[in-house]
Amino acid sequence: MTRLKTHTESHATSRIGWLRAAVMGANDGIVSTASLIVGVAAASAGRSEILIAGMASLFAGAMSMAAGEYVSVSSQADTEKADLARERKELASDPKFEHAELASVYEARGVDAMTAKEVARQMMAHDALTAHARDELGISDISTARPLQAAIASALTFIAGAAAPLLVVPFAPLASMVVAVAAASLVCLAVLGALGAKAGGAPVVPSVVRVVFWGAMAMVVTALVGKLFGAAVA
């Protein structure tokens, strides 16, 4: 008797819930904190003022990211729950129509009509709501919204990202603070872009170029603003 070979697979989509929030949190932590530090330093502020601004950015940004992720992902979760509740009622009130609807989904994917009807029948006999949630609504365990997970991942990675440019401030000479913080932050962004691409199974170079380019643009803009306002106040 021939035995079927088994193997395990690790797909990036299984990490999409926390990975998106983590990458976005770390990226925002580096960019927003580094940009603020660069802007304040360009305005000829002292080291203590730069540190205070950086610390305020770290904590305020982490709380903002956590709150924003929780609210937005909660909205997604509420929508999913409402769709599932509606689907549950439709399955109870008109199972024949729901069977035909599920079969039509399989037919649209290339399954012939007879097979599609049989597959739909078997799937609904096993777990009708899960079958319709996954194949009709596109809701699965992998993509299900998890607000608390997203909020925690986003806040913690924001703090980790913000710490990178902030740690440069106590050691860099004031005269070269802008250059030192910008350089350290761009290196961290490049590493983050590479790690995010690797974790998500995406090409590394486009990801690195994307995060470095937009991070550099943000720091250039805030440096110019800091320089202009610093000169105006002086």
Side-chain angles (χ1 to χ4, degrees):
M1 184 175 65
T2 304
R3 290 186 177 181
L4 293 175
K5 293 182 179 180
T6 60
H7 69 285
T8 57
E9 295 181 348
S10 178
H11 294 288
T13 51
S14 63
R15 300 186 289 268
I16 197 168
W18 63 265
L19 181 60
R20 180 192 63 84
V23 171
M24 186 169 68
N27 184 80
D28 281 3
I30 296 171
V31 173
S32 62
T33 304
S35 297
L36 182 60
I37 290 172
V38 165
V40 174
S44 301
R47 193 182 302 274
S48 60
E49 288 86 353
I50 297 171
L51 275 171
I52 291 170
M55 290 296 293
S57 174
L58 186 151
F59 288 107
M63 293 305 298
S64 176
M65 288 294 294
E69 280 293 315
Y70 189 84
V71 170
S72 63
V73 179
S74 292
S75 297
Q76 179 187 338
D78 291 341
T79 301
E80 290 176 355
K81 288 177 183 176
D83 283 344
L84 289 174
R86 189 180 303 111
E87 196 66 30
R88 190 180 289 109
K89 289 181 180 178
E90 291 172 352
L91 283 167
S93 62
D94 197 350
K96 288 185 178 180
F97 175 81
E98 291 301 309
H99 171 265
E101 188 176 38
L102 188 59
S104 69
V105 171
Y106 297 141
E107 283 189 66
R109 295 178 182 175
V111 181
D112 66 79
M114 290 293 292
T115 304
K117 289 178 182 178
E118 179 59 21
V119 171
R121 185 191 68 77
Q122 292 187 30
M123 294 294 287
M124 290 183 67
H126 176 68
D127 190 336
L129 183 61
T130 298
H132 279 268
R134 181 183 59 247
D135 296 324
E136 181 189 345
L137 303 177
I139 300 173
S140 67
D141 288 338
I142 292 175
S143 62
T144 297
R146 296 177 175 85
L148 189 59
Q149 181 192 68
I152 292 172
S154 184
L156 291 179
T157 52
F158 184 97
I159 291 171
L166 194 57
L167 288 173
V168 178
V169 176
F171 306 104
L174 274 176
S176 57
M177 181 71 71
V178 171
V179 174
V181 170
S185 300
L186 291 177
V187 170
C188 290
L189 284 171
V191 172
L192 175 65
L195 291 175
K198 286 286 188 182
V204 172
V205 174
S207 177
V208 170
V209 171
R210 184 167 56 243
V211 296
V212 169
F213 173 78
W214 288 109
M217 288 296 293
M219 283 181 270
V220 167
V221 170
T222 52
L224 290 174
V225 170
K227 199 73 175 176
L228 288 172
F229 279 89
V233 172

